[in-house]
Amino acid sequence: MSSLAGRRIVLGVTGGIAAYKAVEVCRRLVDAGAHVVPILTSGGRRMVGETTFSALASEPVRTSLFDDPETPIPHTTIGQSADLILVCPATARVLSDMRTGRSADLLTATILATRAPVMVCPAMHTEMWEQPSVQENLAVLADRGVLIVAPESGQLAGGDMGHGRLPESATVLAAVEAALGGGELLGQKVLVSAGGTREPIDAVRYIANRSSGKQGNAVAAEAASRGADVVLVTTQPNSAPTGVRIIAVETAAEMAAACELEAPDSALVVMAAAVADFRPAEPADGKLKKVDGAPAVVLVPTIDILATLGAAKPAGQTLIGFAAETDDLVTNAAGKLARKNLDLIVANDVSKPNVGFGHSTNEVVLLLSDGTRHDVPLSDKREIACAVLDAALGYRS
Ligand code: CTP
């Protein structure tokens, strides 16, 4: 059962264009069993219709401190009975009001009248997001314990690209679940590998691949938002999500050492990294010089980390691998699932447009060792991460 079942969540919708996404958040919260009390600010009402929220939420929309004769002081009643207040999207204005304790409308009054956790999902244009005033307000709110769902980069209103976009509804929902203490992975260790390994040829050159680490990062972030203690072994530490322990590595051998150390007490292991299958046998200590002619680089196999972890898999551990293929997707992936003693393999056809390496979207087939198969259509990598973890957790139970 979802940790949201029966929980009272006040959904405050303020006047950002991302308010349309709050409709989906509302729907998902209700589907997960939450009792959703929607409050729209005057800006929020300009962005989305009250009827939409009244139809989807558990109660009719409230918009004012004074519009309900039966509840003369709604902010205290709503604030006191809430298990969580979620402000989604949160504009720069509401963050400022929250910081100063200004009771400007029903939402801000309710936030002042609650002892429940408050979570904000800031969403705005990059220029606004980067203002020191906005960042300072957020830092103060974070210090006070307000939970912040960080915005993402991508397309913004008006076609602009940049930072400040509201994350997908699945991300917001996972953050709410984690905040309410019922994260499905609470107290469990999850090991994730991400990025492509780099195998040195000489002091300055290496053999690499196209992996960006985005899919592994998304799995790590998703597991963390479900309450897990996440260890991320990655070749791309600069783009790693917050809230996880990072082990930065370069080569397959370094990744193998870190994974073999961290795997035994992990409940879930997700090998999303693109590990080089071969490495130069004898990398030169210094830089190879052109005048010496084209070097004959002899390659030798690297360790298959996943197969090693599969052979030593402790009872109760769920081991997940990836298979990036260009031909015979399911047959090749099923072979790897069996050969490496996996519980689940995430197969993607990287010859398709917008799939796999470097993209922020993916399209995958999940094959489980009990013979079941789930096809996940082209989606954001975070949505793919959700599907992978859902499948893994469903498989375990
Ligand atoms: N993998 C690994 N160690 C390696 C190579 C791969 O742990 N040396 C893992 C990857 O992280 C991935 C899975 O194994 O989870 C499948 O990787 P892939 O390269 O597709 O499989 P291979 O077994 O190397 O097969 P091939 O390259 O021939 O398709």
Side-chain angles (χ1 to χ4, degrees):
M1 191 169 68
S2 163
S3 61
L4 299 182
R7 312 305 291 274
R8 283 182 78 86
I9 297 174
V10 174
L11 174 62
V13 181
T14 67
I17 192 66
Y20 79 93
K21 289 191 186 169
V23 175
E24 171 89 12
V25 170
C26 177
R27 176 62 188 260
R28 280 181 172 242
L29 289 170
V30 171
D31 284 351
H35 182 100
V36 178
V37 182
I39 297 180
L40 262 61
T41 63
S42 57
R45 290 167 74 190
R46 287 177 175 267
M47 297 293 170
V48 232
E50 290 172 40
T51 320
T52 311
F53 281 100
S54 289
L56 293 173
S58 315
E59 296 185 5
V61 158
R62 290 170 186 271
T63 57
S64 158
L65 273 160
F66 308 110
D67 62 0
D68 182 354
E70 299 201 345
T71 324
I73 41 172
H75 57 298
T76 52
T77 323
I78 300 171
Q80 286 164 355
S81 61
D83 289 313
L84 180 117
I85 298 185
L86 171 66
V87 185
C88 175
T91 54
R93 193 274 304 167
V94 82
L95 298 174
S96 170
D97 284 352
M98 286 173 67
R99 181 198 178 163
T100 54
R102 182 164 176 258
S103 170
D105 51 21
L106 177 58
L107 178 61
T108 44
T110 305
I111 291 170
L112 287 173
T114 195
R115 294 214 165 103
V118 177
M119 178 178 286
V120 295
C121 309
M124 60 199 78
H125 251 70
T126 312
E127 294 83 352
M128 297 173 76
W129 168 250
E130 288 176 352
Q131 282 298 334
S133 54
V134 172
Q135 289 303 318
E136 201 184 287
N137 287 341
L138 269 170
V140 171
L141 292 174
D143 274 353
R144 290 183 196 152
V146 171
L147 303 163
I148 293 161
V149 180
E152 295 179 348
S153 296
Q155 194 167 17
L156 303 167
D160 291 346
M161 296 294 287
H163 202 69
R165 195 171 80 140
L166 187 74
E168 295 307 316
S169 56
T171 307
V172 177
L173 213 78
V176 172
E177 281 188 317
L180 286 174
E184 302 148 287
L185 290 169
L186 202 66
Q188 298 189 46
K189 181 174 170 186
V190 173
L191 171 63
V192 183
S193 69
T197 62
R198 295 183 284 273
E199 310 298 332
I201 296 171
D202 65 9
V204 296
R205 304 176 181 95
Y206 54 75
I207 296 177
N209 59 63
R210 296 182 191 280
S211 171
S212 61
K214 284 183 184 165
Q215 186 62 77
N217 286 346
V219 172
E222 181 58 30
S225 74
R226 295 184 187 204
D229 299 324
V230 179
V231 178
L232 179 63
V233 178
T234 179
T235 62
Q236 304 284 349
N238 294 337
S239 65
T242 53
V244 307
R245 176 155 68 88
I246 298 164
I247 302 179
V249 295
E250 284 256 330
T251 63
E254 288 168 8
M255 185 170 275
C259 289
E260 283 174 41
L261 188 70
E262 299 291 342
D265 61 343
S266 295
L268 214 71
V269 177
V270 187
M271 274 300 296
V275 186
D277 288 328
F278 300 97
R279 64 172 178 83
E282 284 176 20
D285 287 338
K287 184 183 176 194
L288 295 170
K289 300 303 286 178
K290 196 161 48 184
V291 287
D292 297 330
V297 179
V298 177
L299 299 178
V300 291
T302 56
I303 180 173
D304 189 323
I305 307 169
L306 190 56
T308 310
L309 299 180
K313 185 167 65 175
Q317 183 181 84
T318 305
L319 185 59
I320 301 175
F322 277 68
E325 307 290 344
T326 51
D327 304 288
D328 301 325
L329 179 70
V330 171
T331 315
N332 279 328
K336 289 174 190 176
L337 177 78
R339 222 170 30 247
K340 303 193 188 194
N341 192 27
L342 310 181
D343 301 292
L344 195 170
I345 194 151
V346 184
N348 58 359
D349 181 345
V350 288
S351 64
K352 286 191 173 178
N354 300 321
V355 171
F357 296 138
H359 299 293
S360 57
T361 49
N362 212 347
E363 177 186 320
V364 301
V365 178
L366 308 180
L367 301 177
L368 287 100
S369 61
D370 64 6
T372 47
R373 166 184 173 156
H374 302 286
D375 289 57
V376 189
L378 191 69
S379 328
D380 187 86
K381 283 188 170 167
R382 184 65 180 249
E383 301 273 351
I384 301 283
C386 277
V388 170
L389 292 183
D390 285 347
L393 292 169
Y395 170 84
R396 282 203 315 189
S397 58

